[in-house]
Amino acid sequence: MTGPATEWQPTACILCECNCGIVVQVEDRRLARIRGDKEHPASRGYTCNKALRLDHYQNNRNRLTSPMRRLPDGSYEPIDWDTAVREIADGFAQIAADHGGDKILYYGGGGQGNHLGGAYSGAFLKALGSHHRSNALAQEKTGEHWVDAHFYGNHTRGEFEHAEVSVFVGKNPWMSQSFPRARVVLNEIAKDPGRSMVVIDPVLTDTAKMADFHLRVRPGADAWCLAALAGVLVREKLCDERFLAEHVTGVDAVRQVLAEVPIGEYAVRCGVEEELIRKAARRIAAAGSVAVFEDLGIQQSPNSTLCSYLNKMLWILTGNFAKRGSQHLHSSFAPLFRPGGVGRTPVTGAPIIGGLMPSNVVPEEILTDHPDRFRAMIVESSNPAHSVADSDAVRRAFAELELLVVIDVAMTETARMAHYVLPAATQFEKVEATFFNLEFPHNTFHLRHPLMEPLPGTLPEPEIWARLMRALGAVDDSELIPLRRAADQGLAAFTDAFLAAVGANPGLGKVLPFVLYETLGPALPEGLSGAAALWGLAQKTAMTYPDAMRRAGHADGNALFTAILEGKSGVTFTVHEYEEDFALITHPDRRIALEIPEMLADVRALADAPAGLTSPEFPIVLSAGERRAFTANDIIRDPSWRQRDSDGALRVSPQDAEALGLVDGGRARITTAAGVAEATVEISEAMLPGHASLPNGFGLDFAGADGTTQTPGVAPNALTSSAWRDAYAGTPWHKHVPARIDSVAGALAGAAS
Ligand SMILES: Nc1nc2c(c(=O)[nH]1)N[C@H]1C(S)=C(S)[C@@H](COP(=O)(O)OP(=O)(O)OC[C@H]3O[C@@H](n4cnc5c(=O)[nH]c(N)nc54)[C@H](O)[C@@H]3O)O[C@H]1N2
Ligand SMILES: Nc1nc2c(c(=O)[nH]1)N[C@H]1C(S)=C(S)[C@@H](COP(=O)(O)OP(=O)(O)OC[C@H]3O[C@@H](n4cnc5c(=O)[nH]c(N)nc54)[C@H](O)[C@@H]3O)O[C@H]1N2
Ligand code: SF4
Ligand SMILES: [Mo]
């Protein structure tokens, strides 16, 4: 499959949810040359600085090349695939028989660019009777999803490329990207006197430096800032009354609460000048179009769900929906949240939102003698022992499991707790795709073809899951034979045979991805069998968005599936018209339901809410996990990928540095309720006094060529606590960790005296 060196092969960057299209020249399994793919319909040739460093992911010296089984002394021995698959399938079947399949928890299912594995996991889990799951979305986006579900039953995105006013709330897109061609769009906004940018962030980020209105909110005080902004819209009569009357319900109750907001007082509480708040609100109200992006700055801070509720007032009250450059609902190729997936976790009764339990409660759901505790886990493409709050508690919990299986490309912190580790092929060695398809009016799906064969010893996830399913023996292979035959005759014949087979045995539909992999998979072009599950999703897309799909040029589900298989640089799968935003609202009246009584009670309660979490013992607010130029979650373990900030510096304000005796480049000790760590100091004018910041993705160990292990920087979740979490969604407050910072020299001197 490896082509001649001069051939540019299309694929995508896997380091953030944008999945920009790239073209690559492969030499000796190296990603030798990389540049943006101009043919990719969403990124159109754009990449940020990180894509060019992807070979550090592909050629990671610490790759796994064999299934591993843990020995009683905690070390690992390589075992062959057949043994691993048999023992793992037997092990889970035994857990299901002894305790019930619902005691098996699935965590992960995809990182920033690889969601096919998660698609296939469902069949194995269903066959076992396992239905509980969690992943990183339950440490960030579940609160927003809860609000979205009430408002319109769907997910929205801003159309920043065309917005007159762009609002970023706890979001630094210059560094963290998250929408197509982010830096190009930010530069265009900054250059155009007719357009404005509003940034709500305590840090003078690269994005904030470009802003027309930087609301430099005190950390954790966004609820007061956002309530004041919405309050101005109501009090100064800046709402779009026609839009509200036609398209929104529950407005009066909301208006009443917002009209009571003491704007001046809340401005003081959040640390932003009242006049700046008023000007920003007026600019938003005057704009022809407004798009808003909320992210971790509020989603991982106190009052996070309330802040999700309030920031959406900025575009709903001003009618910035269903028109160019505004906020939109969008089509989905595969939903990231399970529709209607609400409930409570078995042990702690924490909220399950969109089918996901909070990452934060996973340890408590294991570390107990409660009869319904989880006994076993499968972790796929995620590193919760490093990425979930309070790593120490996570590790203690994982040590209690009767069976833990990890599927990863590397021997991660989580893998090192597992009974079995299964080595996956990398995202450049197999067919892969992202389900982060979030754009409107044009939405894109990109099936990436493998650039090279899997490294010997590794397997793509679709094959891993199929082998586990076969070992369970949950499906009678004779039922699949007619489907296999039909698949050889083409998609139309397959469609008929499929409908007949599922009609005769609806059980097949429950393990659909497996059935498709086993029947349609072998008939697909070489290397693409892992794309079989997309056939089902293409049919669903055709049923859900028939007009938008046809506008994108696909006659039916089979035509869409074929276009996906053939379109190596990605395809547009839906083209919507702006008016259709309303049809994407799932409420029967197709109106936005603005009133959420709990949220309105919380807005009222802000008047008497306590100031914050800091104390004399822990006086500084630490944001643990900032996105920087060379951070990419836990995806690249080799530290040499970084061209600067190799230590992941602790950023502190000049005022704090002076008061604490910290020097630039010196060392500091950070102490929180959960742990202690040491970091290199960077004194930065970007930070407010009382606020410090550490990057994400550090504290991963890596064995270098010389055999020595390095672990640069601080693992952020050595310092975070799982108990500090949102009341509605259970999402953690990673950006708001009360901390004490001492100069290491000073601490030593103090200890000596
Ligand atoms: N370079 C890089 N890009 C990435 C990633 C990566 O690892 N590295 N990860 C991707 C992922 S998984 C995600 S979820 C996104 C996240 O993207 P972002 O949410 O943009 O990333 P962060 O830097 O974690 O946090 C955003 C901002 O929140 C601010 N903040 C901290 N405390 C507060 C507060 O109290 N209020 C407000 N309003 N703001 C506050 C910080 O100063 C920071 O600028 O990035 C994606 N992109
Ligand atoms: N303190 C603090 N904690 C945080 C955050 C924070 O800001 N602060 N941010 C949170 C957020 S927003 C997120 S999204 C999470 C992310 O945390 P996780 O969900 O743990 O995801 P990643 O860190 O992206 O880890 C991805 C894993 O997938 C593996 N991998 C890469 N490619 C493949 C593949 O093809 N197949 C398989 N099977 N595995 C592969 C990598 O080796 C890595 O171990 O972290 C969260 N944790
Ligand atoms: S924006 Fe994201 S996907 Fe695009 S090149 Fe940068 S890290 Fe990769
Ligand atoms: Mo994330």
Side-chain angles (χ1 to χ4, degrees), residues 247 321-323 328 440 576-584:
H247 300 297
F321 182 66
K323 59 180 179 182
H328 305 292
F440 183 102
H576 277 284
E577 281 164 6
Y578 287 112
E579 266 299 301
E580 288 173 341
D581 258 330
F582 294 111
L584 292 169

Side-chain angles (χ1 to χ4, degrees), residues 57 112 114 136 139-140 296 300 380-384 387 407-410 412 424-427 430 461 624-625 627 633-635 716-717 720 734-735:
Y57 160 81
Q112 296 298 300
N114 55 320
Q139 339 195 27
E140 44 172 331
L296 303 185
Q300 296 183 337
E380 180 175 9
S381 198
S382 183
N383 187 9
S387 64
I407 306 174
D408 204 296
V409 296
T412 64
T426 69
Q427 297 177 51
K430 64 191 173 204
E461 286 85 348
R627 271 68 184 162
N633 289 359
D634 293 358
I635 304 167
N717 289 308
T720 57
H734 291 320
K735 307 296 168 195

Side-chain angles (χ1 to χ4, degrees), residues 549-569:
M549 183 191 71
R550 265 179 229 117
R551 257 181 241 124
H554 316 292
D556 59 16
N558 281 339
L560 174 59
F561 180 64
T562 305
I564 285 172
L565 290 178
E566 289 171 357
K568 289 191 173 185
S569 293

